[in-house]
Structures are given as C-alpha cells and as structure tokens.
C-alpha cells in the first residue's frame, strides 16, 4: 500500500478554513462532485485520497486507524474515547476552530468560584436535595476525566445534544460543561465559567493516526505532506 | 495442581464458607450503580438501553445486587452470601469479561469476627492459587475518622477533609491551600438577608427555579461560611500532623507503632482503631507481607472500618474488601447494619497460579 487517506471536515466553516490552509501552502484540495460528494484529491499528489467526513467521525476513524491523517478538533479526539489522545499524534494546530471546554455554573452561585468549591457542593448535594448534582453536557468523557482528577465523584451526567446552556434554567441540570469561544452564549444565559474551569483548550489540528498500519512508503509520503504544511 | 483442580479446590473453599450461594441476574438496572458510585464507576459499566429508555448494565460486580436483595427481603437476620461468576467492565482497550468470586457477611453479631472470616477466606484463596509473595495493604477508615474528630480545627473543615480521604491529589491540594491561607483580617461580611435577596434576584433574572436546585439561602449560607472559613485557620501544627499521619506507609506493626507514638506525643486517643487493626493482623499468617497505609481508602463513602487490598508481587490487585457498614443504609436500610466482604479477581489469581 502506498496511498494515503486524508480526512477533511465535510461542511461549513471548518471545511473552508481547512481548504484555505492547505491552499495557502500550495496544496489545492479539490472536491470534484461538489458538496454532495465525499471524495476528493490534492492537486499534484495523486497518492493522497481526500475524504470528506463530519468532524466527529474524523476523530473516531483516526483513533480506529481507518484513515491516516485528518483535520478535526482536539476536543473530539479527547471526547471520543479515553485513549483517544494516545492513539494519535497532533501534527500541528491550524489556528482556527478555537474553543474551550469549560465548566460553568449559574452566576447566582456566588460561593462557587473554583473546582474545589464544586467538590464541596457536590459532596453534600444529595443529602440536601435527595438527588445527585446534575451536569448537562455532550462532553461525557472529558467531564468524567476532569471531575475524577478534581476528586469529584458525586454527580450525574445528563447527556445534552443541543442548547446545553439552557439546561440550568429548564431544570434539566444544575451546571453545565460546554464548549465556548467567546463566552457570550454563557453570559447571555447568566452562566459563569469557574476560574479553574477550562477543562480543555481546543482548536482544529492536523492529526496523524498512530493505530493505522503504516507502510514505509506511506510514512514517507506523510512526512512529505507534513513538511509542505509547515509555515 | 492443574487449572481444573484449582477450580475444584476453590469451589470447595467457597462451599466451606457455609454461605448461601447466590447468582444475581447478569442484566441489572444501571441507575443504582450511578446512584451509589457516581460517574466515576459509571464509566466502567457496559450499558444498554431498554425500548422505554431505561438504562441497564451487564453485572459489573456482585455486592450491590446481593445487598439490595437482602434489604428488599426485609430481614435483619445475620446472613452470609458467596458468589462466583462473570462480571463485565469497560477497560481502556475495550469491554471485557472477568470472573469474580467473593463473600459478603451481613448483620453478623460480631463484626470483628466477620472481618476475620473474610480475611481468612481471602488468604485461603491465595493458598489455593499458590500466589507467591502476596502483599496485603491495610487501611482504616475508622482510624482516620477518629483522628479527624480529635484534631483541632474549625468544624466546617472536617467534612471537607474527610471527603478527600483516599484521593491523594485532592487531599494534597486542599492541605496546600490551607497551608497557604493568608492571615489577613476579613472585610466586613454582608448581611445574610441582603445576600439572599441579591441571590434571589439573580436567580429569578436567569430563569432558575428557587427550589429545584440550590436555594438562595443555601448559597448565601455557604458563601458566608466560605468567607468565615477563609478567616478560620487550621494551624500549621495541625496540618503538619495530618500530613505526617497520612504519609505513614510501612510494614503494619511498625506503622502502627508510629501511629501510637504520634498519638501519644500529641495527646490523641487512637487506641480503639489501632487495637482493632492489630487484632486482625495477628490473625493473619506471619509469612504474608502486610503494609499499613494511613491514607489508603476506597473512594466510596460507605466503607467504615478496616479496608484491605491484596496485591501480587507485581502490584496487581487480586482481592479487595473490608467493612462497609454504611452501604446498607445507603441502599435503604433504616438502621446501620454491619457488613464486611471481599471480592477476588479469579482470572488474575489463575494467572498467578499458572506462573
């Protein structure tokens, strides 16, 4: 096997910015079938197959080792599975798609400014309210990892697949773990990020799978590609 | 001895415990596990969802279904249960099936004797599987709770320190924070009523329920308590003493002498938990290496007295258990019920034997 598979986000800003980034370095990504096609190429590099996938699938396939390299958010690598970060190499950050995964509490919780406050609140939440403290998030793996590290075990996750920031007001959860770029959505919902509440600073990365079976030729081709993507 | 012979010998050992053999369902509701052990244990479960959205898991261990069943039956009579069968856990490299066996002794009249029976059972299992050079780690929740109750500090700090027992990093962070606490007089505290009014306004403006989650008075009280705590120092001597004791990790008798010496010089009474530890150590054969670690505890708050873990020479956990009197209350018993037990990792024991 000599060919390489490169996965690129299939739509929206991430697709455009990724193609711009490659183009600025002389690598034109083509998508002959337009937005409804999932196969593409890089001009002048016939051994590289480009596949257009949703960003979360790119993370999953990099970890599984079914594609060689791809562009996706660091957060998705961490979230997909606990051993995700160990299964890939982050070849380089791309300078876009910045977002932080943060812990946010209602602004009215004036006594909670740090994770250690949350540990106190969680530890007697059940005796006060007859239930565990609830955290709304779609970042289940990241939440569990960081809360375990902070020594917080007494909580339940409520899986949220959209509008996580509304969960405290709707009564679905007490606090949230969510992704934010400017913080304006959180502020608008009167939520406040804890001072040590940034669990992960993420951005789009060019990522190389470590679990794929690399041949020497593929490795060499990958090195060539990566060297052309340096600044 | 062959693997089959070992299996038979272990079955004989289980039978000899004169305990009821019990085999809880493989498919169990997941909620009780989340309720009891939280998300940290939850991520180890193999989950599946019913068509009505209810979550189920493949049996991840035996103690909870056994104890829940015992409570449902409503008796308070002494009971002992033995089990042996598959359990399922998520591992970093994927889902896996293990064989676990164990013993649970509930509502026994003599809690110390019950723990001795559990330890003897674990020890006999090690013999069946010819484990070379096992090492027993002992910890004592009772000792730590007794120490904490006697140390001089503002009361509000005690539950916060207790809560971090068994999590070395979280404990270290808290103690470091206390050690660094600035010794400055606090600005005047806001009035409680005014504070509650402010918080209520904020919550209403944010569309939060005033009753479903934390209430304005709960937040105000903790805020004021927090302000008071920042001013309420734990003395450097107390913190140093706590650190000294938590750092104790040595051959059991040596470690306990050290605990006694510290208790004596600091005027603490730790005689009861130390005596209890010594009694159980005496009941174990001298050729087994026993280490007492003052900071060792499972991260589950239903453990009460002595806790233990048996490791192979390579440090792999072969068995773990202890006294867990608070579990039965957590699962709905109306009064405390003594309980002790242990779980054995049969696959690892068999791997030790095959060596």
């Amino acid at each position: 096997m000599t060919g390489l598979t490169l996965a690129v986000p299939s739509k929206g800003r991430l697709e455009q910015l990724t193609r711009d980034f490659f183009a600025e370095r002389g690598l034109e990504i083509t998508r002959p079938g337009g937005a409804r096609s999932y196969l593409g190429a890089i001009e002048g590099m016939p051994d590289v197959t480009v596949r257009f996938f949703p960003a979360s699938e790119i993370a999953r396939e990099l970890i599984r080792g079914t594609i060689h390299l791809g562009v996706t958010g660091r957060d998705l690598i961490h979230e997909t599975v606990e051993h995700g970060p160990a299964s890939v190499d982050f070849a380089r950050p791309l300078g876009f798609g910045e977002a932080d995964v943060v812990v946010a509490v209602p602004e009215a919780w004036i006594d909670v400014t740090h994770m250690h406050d949350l540990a106190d609140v969680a530890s007697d939440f059940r005796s006060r309210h007859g239930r565990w403290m609830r955290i709304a998030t779609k970042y289940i793996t990241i939440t569990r990892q960081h809360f375990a590290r902070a020594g917080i075990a007494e909580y339940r996750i409520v899986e949220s697949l959209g509008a996580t920031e509304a969960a405290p007001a709707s009564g679905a959860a007490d606090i949230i773990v969510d992704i934010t770029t400017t913080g304006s959505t959180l502020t608008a919902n009167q939520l406040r990020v804890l001072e040590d509440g940034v669990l992960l600073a993420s951005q789009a990365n060019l990522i190389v799978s470590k679990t794929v079976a690399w041949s020497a030729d593929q490795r060499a081709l990958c090195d060539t590609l990566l060297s052309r993507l340096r600044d | 001895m062959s693997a089959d012979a070992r299996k038979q010998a272990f079955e004989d050992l289980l039978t000899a415990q004169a305990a009821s053999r019990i085999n809880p369902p493989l498919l169990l509701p997941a909620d009780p596990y989340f309720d009891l052990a939280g998300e940290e244990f939850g991520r180890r479960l193999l989950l599946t969802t019913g068509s009505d959205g209810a979550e189920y898991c493949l049996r991840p261990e035996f103690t909870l279904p056994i104890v829940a069943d015992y409570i449902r039956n409503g008796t308070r009579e002494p009971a002992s249960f033995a089990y042996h069968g598959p359990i399922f856990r998520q591992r970093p490299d994927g889902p896996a099936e293990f064989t676990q066996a164990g013993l649970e002794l509930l509502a026994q009249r003599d809690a110390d004797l019950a723990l001795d029976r559990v330890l003897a059972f674990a020890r006999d299992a090690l013999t069946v599987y010819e484990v070379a050079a096992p090492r027993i780690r002992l910890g004592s929740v009772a000792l730590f709770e007794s120490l904490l109750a006697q140390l001089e500090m503002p009361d509000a700090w005690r539950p916060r320190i207790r809560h971090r027992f068994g999590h070395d990093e979280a404990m270290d962070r808290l103690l470091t924070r206390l050690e660094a606490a600035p010794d400055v007089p606090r600005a005047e505290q806001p009035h409680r009523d005014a504070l509650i009014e402010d918080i209520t306004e904020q919550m209403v403006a944010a569309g939060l329920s005033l009753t479903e989650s934390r209430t304005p008075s709960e937040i105000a009280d903790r805020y004021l308590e927090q302000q008071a705590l920042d001013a309420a120092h734990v003395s450097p001597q107390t913190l140093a003493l706590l650190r000294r004791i938590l750092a104790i990790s040595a051959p059991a008798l040596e470690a306990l002498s050290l605990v006694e010496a510290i208790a004596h010089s600091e005027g603490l009474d730790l005689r009861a938990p130390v005596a209890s530890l010594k009694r159980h150590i005496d009941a174990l054969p001298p050729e087994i290496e026993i280490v007492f670690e003052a900071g060792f505890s499972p991260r589950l708050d239903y453990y009460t007295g002595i806790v233990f873990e048996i490791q192979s020479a390579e440090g792999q956990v072969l068995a773990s258990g202890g006294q867990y009197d608070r579990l039965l209350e957590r699962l709905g018993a109306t009064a405390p019920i003594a309980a002790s037990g242990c779980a054995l990792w049969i696959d690892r024991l068999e791997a030790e034997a095959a060596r």
Side-chain angles (χ1 to χ4, degrees), chain B residues 157-176:
Chain B
W157 281 117
R158 287 183 225 278
R160 288 171 167 78
I161 293 174
R162 170 66 184 88
H163 177 62
R164 287 160 175 85
F165 183 47
H167 192 303
D168 292 345
E169 297 93 74
M171 180 70 88
D172 179 59
R173 279 197 298 270
L174 176 64
L175 295 182
T176 304

Side-chain angles (χ1 to χ4, degrees), chain B residues 136 138-140 143 248-252 255-256 259 277 290-294:
Chain B
I136 301 188
L138 278 184
S140 172
L143 181 95
I248 292 175
S249 167
L256 291 179
V259 171
L277 278 160
I290 308 173
V291 174
F292 175 74
E293 292 178 30

Side-chain angles (χ1 to χ4, degrees), chain B residues 26-57:
Chain B
L26 281 175
L27 191 64
L28 294 163
D31 244 15
Y33 280 105
F34 281 105
D35 268 355
L36 193 70
E39 295 286 341
E40 221 170 316
F41 186 70
R43 69 177 176 181
R44 304 262 163 262
L45 299 179
L46 275 111
L47 294 167
T48 185
T49 312
S51 53
D52 58 352
E55 273 196 307
Y56 293 85
C57 63

Side-chain angles (χ1 to χ4, degrees), chain B residues 228-298:
Chain B
L229 272 179
D230 285 347
H233 277 271
V234 183
S235 74
Q237 291 81 354
T238 300
L239 291 169
L241 176 58
L242 201 52
R243 278 198 190 273
R244 249 173 89 202
I245 292 187
L246 282 172
I248 292 175
S249 167
L253 292 177
E254 189 185 310
L256 291 179
S257 304
L258 191 53
V259 171
E260 281 174 320
I262 294 174
H264 181 74
S265 72
E266 302 289 337
L268 300 165
D269 180 5
L270 301 173
R271 281 172 299 183
V274 169
S276 165
L277 278 160
K278 280 189 169 167
R279 216 168 30 238
H280 295 293
I281 293 166
D282 284 343
L284 287 163
E287 67 272 14
I288 295 187
E289 185 193 352
I290 308 173
V291 174
F292 175 74
E293 292 178 30
F296 167 59
S297 165

